[in-house]
Amino acid sequence: MDYRKAPDGRVNIRLDAGDELIASLLEICGKERIGNAMFWGIGACMKADIGHYDPEKKEYHNKVLEGKMEIISLTGNVTMADDAPLIHAHIALGLQDFSMQGGHVNMVEVDPTCEVVLMPIEGKVQRELDEKTGLKAQRF
Ligand code: ZN
């Protein structure tokens, strides 16, 4: 992984083979003291653990995908929960047969690379558990 902050505050990130997406973004947010941001990315991966939320059961159904996959679209945000940055990301993955799968990102193992642009945003957005949805909802 390597990254660089541009003069406008944007952070250009290159993830390499074996880098885990969420852990890498948390590491950068910790080092750069970023607690509120949006990000986008494209690239490829070998393994992804994705989820689909069931609002009635208030739980995620998870699925692990393995094999060469294109990261067609990665999008997400950084907010604060329990005094630590929290990454919320969704992904669309292109499989070798050109079909697509996607969902909420639990884990993505990059291979060979993923390019992410992270835009810090001024201000603070906190997340707290919302009993109604069972999710950590944004509080302003
Ligand atoms: Zn989600």
Side-chain angles (χ1 to χ4, degrees), residues 13-16 21 41-44 71 74 110-116:
I13 303 162
R14 188 203 69 236
L15 300 176
D16 302 313
L21 175 78
I42 55 172
I71 298 172
L74 165 75
V110 169
D111 191 23
T113 191
C114 182
E115 301 164 347
V116 179

Side-chain angles (χ1 to χ4, degrees), residues 37-40 74-78 87-90:
M38 295 282 297
F39 60 85
W40 304 267
L74 165 75
T75 186
N77 58 43
V78 182
I87 308 290
H88 185 198
H90 285 191

Side-chain angles (χ1 to χ4, degrees), residues 29-82:
C29 288
K31 276 186 190 167
E32 300 298 331
R33 299 182 172 274
I34 296 169
N36 191 17
M38 295 282 297
F39 60 85
W40 304 267
I42 55 172
C45 65
M46 281 297 284
K47 189 172 182 182
D49 183 333
I50 57 174
H52 190 273
Y53 194 67
D54 181 336
E56 285 167 17
K57 291 184 178 171
K58 294 183 180 176
E59 62 185 29
Y60 281 93
H61 296 283
N62 297 310
K63 181 177 188 179
V64 176
L65 298 166
E66 291 187 80
K68 289 178 182 154
M69 294 172 276
E70 294 282 344
I71 298 172
I72 306 296
S73 182
L74 165 75
T75 186
N77 58 43
V78 182
T79 52
M80 295 296 287
D82 304 320

